[in-house]
Amino acid sequence: MREQIHTVPRWCGGPAWYGCIYIEDEEYTDQPGFCGLLVAHTLLFMSFKHQHIEYPCALVTWFPEIGALPCPDVGMWMVKPDVDNEGSHILNIIHVDSILHGTPHPSSLDSFRAYYINKHADHHSHEIAF
């Protein structure tokens, strides 16, 4: 299966559009649903070659979960931006094979201090982030 994940500094003459993604957490692959996932924002897609092998990658900023359980009021997980002591986003380069799925509404992670991961946003989110 293939899907498009948009990552552009200006979308159709408007604001930036950085795709939100679910990433399989290697540490917790045996955990069901959201417990085995990480949430990130894609800032840039790139690739590099090493010893004649091309590695497709993405530059991401992280959104770790808040708490060990979903919010009891709405039943959804909450995430927040991962920032350092100076308030700058934590960035990493990941291999695109670690991306499990894009998530809906990518501009929302630019607007607030914490976010609900809406498992009801689409069929795939419901199947993945329960």
Side-chain angles (χ1 to χ4, degrees):
M1 184 176 104
R2 252 190 134 137
E3 66 180 287
Q4 281 189 322
I5 300 171
H6 298 279
T7 300
V8 295
R10 292 184 59 84
W11 180 254
C12 295
W17 183 297
Y18 298 118
C20 299
I21 55 174
Y22 292 128
I23 300 170
E24 292 181 295
D25 188 348
E26 291 178 9
E27 217 174 302
Y28 299 102
T29 55
D30 61 335
Q31 296 294 314
F34 192 76
C35 294
L37 300 176
L38 299 168
V39 176
H41 227 184
T42 57
L43 301 177
L44 174 73
F45 286 98
M46 62 192 158
S47 64
F48 65 91
K49 283 188 179 180
H50 178 67
Q51 295 182 346
H52 307 291
I53 299 172
E54 187 167 344
Y55 295 93
C57 299
L59 177 66
V60 300
T61 182
W62 300 103
F63 288 80
E65 73 275 357
I66 299 171
L69 296 170
C71 173
D73 296 328
V74 296
M76 290 187 267
W77 291 89
M78 291 189 73
V79 297
K80 63 179 181 177
D82 197 8
V83 296
D84 62 18
N85 292 337
E86 297 174 0
S88 297
H89 287 268
I90 305 295
L91 303 175
N92 285 108
I93 295 174
I94 63 166
H95 194 286
V96 296
D97 285 351
S98 64
I99 299 173
L100 177 63
H101 194 283
T103 64
H105 310 293
S107 61
S108 64
L109 292 183
D110 293 325
S111 305
F112 304 99
R113 291 186 201 153
Y115 316 89
Y116 284 111
I117 298 299
N118 187 353
K119 63 184 178 185
H120 305 292
D122 67 6
H123 172 74
H124 297 292
S125 291
H126 184 70
E127 294 289 319
I128 294 169
F130 60 89

